[in-house]
């Protein structure tokens, strides 16, 4: 299946309509606190180190593949000029609803995270890119576009899964024994690593197709694009899905800075 983007767009539209965890907007109470300068931002299950974010008042912020009414409204309430860019219109609708509910100024644009041609070079001060690049085949394009649209000195806050989560056999019988049975190599892709029957079943369930990128591309790809990674964090999976989740923190976040134009 070549056009995985359309499939994933439909999958996320369905998740948003079903109010999946990443489609549940922040409350008015949290927005009110953010307007008072008190806010926690999440790109991991744990809140973001406030030193990573800094003062965003008046800053141009891109919430990349970050719709769902979560990060965007908090940043807007803190005084940032927020643009939310996401593949799913239904996810973007969540941000619009919060903006109307809490009188926030948020621009929403539908698009593919690998292509930011709508934005000029050196435009944004900050990009917030929570776990989402597992839904595209080439994460290096994401980093390159982020670098292009950020100003010199601009920051990229991103999070993603440790690719180890894609390695193990996912059969319930194996998990029940507490075993980790390696089955897949990294980089991983549903389209090539699942059997035709497994892939068809996943698509019929309306689940998004995923890609397990290598650390070489997830972390090294940022440095190749020109970023300097200045901080790193990890978090445990609060609701372990795979056996490996109980042994190492499988969420990763990085803070990167564009030092100069290449």
């Amino acid at each position: 299946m070549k056009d995985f983007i359309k499939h994933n767009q439909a999958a996320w539209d369905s998740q948003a309509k079903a109010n999946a965890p990443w489609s549940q907007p922040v409350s008015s109470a949290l927005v009110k606190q953010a307007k008072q300068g008190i806010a926690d931002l999440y790109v991991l299950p744990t809140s973001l180190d406030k030193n990573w974010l800094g003062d965003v008042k008046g800053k141009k912020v891109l919430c990349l593949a970050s719709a769902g009414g979560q990060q965007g409204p908090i940043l807007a309430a803190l005084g940032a000029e927020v643009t939310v860019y996401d593949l799913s219109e239904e996810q973007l609708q969540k941000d619009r609803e919060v903006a109307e509910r809490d009188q926030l100024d948020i621009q929403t644009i539908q698009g593919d995270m690998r292509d930011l041609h709508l934005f000029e070079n050196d435009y944004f001060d900050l990009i917030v890119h929570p776990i989402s690049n597992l839904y595209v085949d080439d994460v290096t394009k994401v980093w390159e576009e982020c670098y292009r649209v950020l100003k010199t000195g601009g920051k990229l806050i991103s999070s993603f899964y440790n690719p180890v989560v894609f390695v193990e056999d996912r059969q319930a019988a194996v998990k029940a024994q507490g075993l980790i049975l390696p089955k897949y190599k990294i980089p991983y892709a549903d389209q090539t690593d699942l059997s035709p029957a497994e892939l068809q079943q996943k698509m019929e369930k309306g689940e998004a197709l995923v890609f397990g990128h290598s650390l070489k591309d997830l972390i090294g790809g940022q440095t190749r694009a020109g970023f300097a990674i200045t901080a790193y964090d990890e978090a445990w999976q609060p609701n372990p899905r795979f056996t490996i989740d109980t042994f190492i923190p499988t969420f990763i976040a990085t803070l990167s800075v564009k030092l100069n134009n290449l």
Side-chain angles (χ1 to χ4, degrees):
M1 178 179 150
K2 294 181 179 179
D3 198 358
F4 67 89
I5 286 293
K6 286 185 178 180
H7 173 83
N8 283 357
Q9 181 178 6
W12 272 101
D13 283 345
S14 296
Q15 288 200 46
K17 290 178 181 177
N19 289 316
W22 289 106
S23 303
Q24 296 177 9
V26 294
S27 66
S28 289
L30 289 176
V31 171
K32 183 178 179 180
Q33 288 181 358
K35 287 181 177 180
Q36 297 170 348
I38 305 168
D40 286 321
L41 192 73
Y42 289 84
V43 298
L44 295 172
T46 51
S47 61
L48 186 71
D49 183 331
K50 289 179 172 55
N51 291 322
W52 285 29
L53 192 61
D55 184 4
V56 298
K57 189 173 183 179
K59 300 289 182 65
K60 291 182 171 63
V61 178
L62 174 63
C63 290
L64 180 60
S66 173
Q70 297 183 356
Q71 293 87 16
I74 294 298
L75 290 161
L78 288 170
E81 298 178 22
V82 175
T83 300
V84 181
Y85 188 84
D86 198 277
L87 187 64
S88 167
E89 276 291 350
E90 292 295 332
Q91 281 282 90
L92 289 166
Q93 182 59 25
K94 302 284 186 175
D95 289 89
R96 297 184 194 113
E97 290 171 0
V98 177
E100 182 176 0
R101 182 193 72 192
D102 297 323
Q103 298 180 318
L104 299 171
D105 186 7
I106 299 175
Q107 181 181 25
T108 60
I109 301 176
Q110 191 276 331
D112 184 337
M113 70 180 87
R114 301 168 299 175
D115 181 5
L116 305 181
H117 74 274
L118 293 176
F119 306 114
E120 301 173 1
N121 294 353
D122 311 308
Y123 183 77
F124 292 102
D125 298 288
L126 169 68
I127 296 175
V128 175
H129 177 49
I131 294 173
S132 56
N133 60 41
L134 71 159
Y135 300 111
V136 293
D137 58 344
D138 188 353
V139 69
T140 62
K141 292 181 180 178
V142 179
W143 304 140
E144 289 166 0
E145 281 290 80
C146 286
Y147 190 88
R148 181 183 64 79
V149 302
L150 273 174
K151 299 175 182 177
T152 297
K155 297 188 295 187
L156 166 64
I157 296 172
S158 60
S159 60
F160 38 85
Y161 289 114
N162 186 317
V164 73
V165 301
F166 297 96
V167 169
E168 68 182 87
D169 191 312
R170 299 160 196 171
Q171 293 184 47
V174 176
K175 182 178 179 181
Q177 298 178 67
L179 299 177
I180 299 174
L181 180 62
K183 183 177 181 179
Y184 305 105
K185 291 183 178 181
I186 300 299
Y188 167 88
D190 279 345
Q191 294 168 283
T192 55
D193 289 297
L194 295 180
S195 69
E198 289 171 328
L199 180 61
Q200 185 64 29
Q201 183 180 42
K202 184 168 188 176
M203 291 170 58
E204 288 176 354
K205 288 181 179 179
E207 297 177 3
L209 301 181
V210 300
F211 301 83
H213 304 295
S214 66
L215 288 174
K216 179 180 179 180
D217 285 343
L218 289 168
I219 295 177
Q222 294 187 56
T223 62
R224 291 195 301 275
F227 286 106
I229 297 176
T230 59
Y232 177 95
D233 199 4
E234 294 179 337
W236 292 87
Q237 169 61 265
N239 302 298
R241 296 174 300 163
F242 310 116
T243 306
I244 193 66
D245 286 323
T246 64
F247 287 92
I248 66 169
T250 48
F251 290 94
I252 292 173
T254 55
L255 171 63
S256 303
V257 178
K258 177 177 177 176
L259 297 181
N260 55 270
N261 280 311
L262 295 180

